[in-house]
Amino acid sequence: MKQNPKPKIVITYGTFDILHYGHIRLLERAKALGDRLYVGLSTDEFCAQEKNKRPFYGYDFRKEMLEALRCVDQVFPEETWQQKANDVKKYHTDIVVMGSDWAGSDRFEYLKNICKVKYLSRTPDISTTEIKKRLGKNK
Ligand code: C2G
């Protein structure tokens, strides 16, 4: 009996706060590299403690928005920097994908021992920080 081939699993990580087209283009290109895209979404605590970020939207809202995207198959919490190797094994991951601002980072390079790691070009001229700044100016 022919076994169905294992779906190709892609994982990416991020805060995805105030979702914008830069995020969407990353997620769509990541999905195009496999059959399933799982997103490790930074929890509010991880953002505050490890990234010195206070997302505008809490974790549940950021998760809800990502899960509404056709290209996202599953969202799970990113709670520590160190969980990625376990995530790769737990989800039988083929490729970890990040934007080019993470290229060469120790946070990801070590994963090359257990899966492919791919950095995709970052979309220019858009960021959550920039959006907040520009909205703040329009008060
Ligand atoms: N991104 C992009 N183009 C932009 C903005 C973001 O391609 N104009 C990509 C980033 O490179 C990242 C993803 O979108 O791959 C999510 O961006 P952030 O939410 O800013 O992610 P970050 O805060 O960098 O968290 O463990 C890794 C961290 O969780 C990544």
Side-chain angles (χ1 to χ4, degrees):
M1 164 94 132
K2 197 167 171 324
Q3 292 288 341
N4 289 335
K6 170 189 158 315
K8 203 166 179 185
I9 307 293
V10 184
I11 285 191
T12 190
Y13 293 86
T15 311
F16 296 102
D17 190 27
I18 311 181
L19 208 56
H20 55 66
Y21 62 90
H23 295 137
I24 303 292
R25 289 180 190 175
L26 186 283
L27 293 166
E28 288 187 327
R29 284 178 291 159
K31 175 63 176 275
L33 294 171
D35 302 304
R36 304 264 192 290
L37 174 62
Y38 299 168
V39 180
L41 181 62
S42 308
T43 60
D44 298 338
E45 297 74 16
F46 181 63
C47 288
Q49 286 148 27
E50 298 296 327
K51 295 179 172 179
N52 196 22
K53 282 187 173 181
R54 283 181 50 74
F56 179 80
Y57 288 117
Y59 176 83
D60 291 343
F61 287 131
R62 290 183 284 121
K63 181 170 185 280
E64 180 182 343
M65 287 188 251
L66 286 175
E67 287 176 335
L69 298 177
R70 194 177 33 246
C71 63
V72 173
D73 295 285
Q74 188 175 331
V75 178
F76 61 90
E78 177 188 29
E79 298 168 293
T80 68
W81 292 111
Q82 300 78 12
Q83 71 180 71
K84 297 186 174 69
N86 290 335
D87 294 340
V88 166
K89 292 172 195 136
K90 177 177 170 184
Y91 296 109
H92 310 293
T93 308
D94 297 278
I95 318 174
V96 170
V97 171
M98 290 300 290
S100 49
D101 45 318
W102 287 92
S105 161
D106 295 347
R107 303 275 189 209
F108 291 91
E109 286 296 295
Y110 74 102
L111 295 170
K112 286 180 174 173
N113 299 319
I114 52 173
C115 68
K116 284 203 190 82
V117 177
K118 217 166 150 52
Y119 304 105
L120 303 176
S121 57
R122 196 183 153 86
T123 302
D125 309 325
I126 180 85
S127 73
T128 302
T129 311
E130 188 54 31
I131 292 169
K132 286 180 178 174
K133 251 193 241 154
R134 280 159 62 179
L135 286 176
K137 285 207 182 84
N138 289 352
K139 262 194 195 107

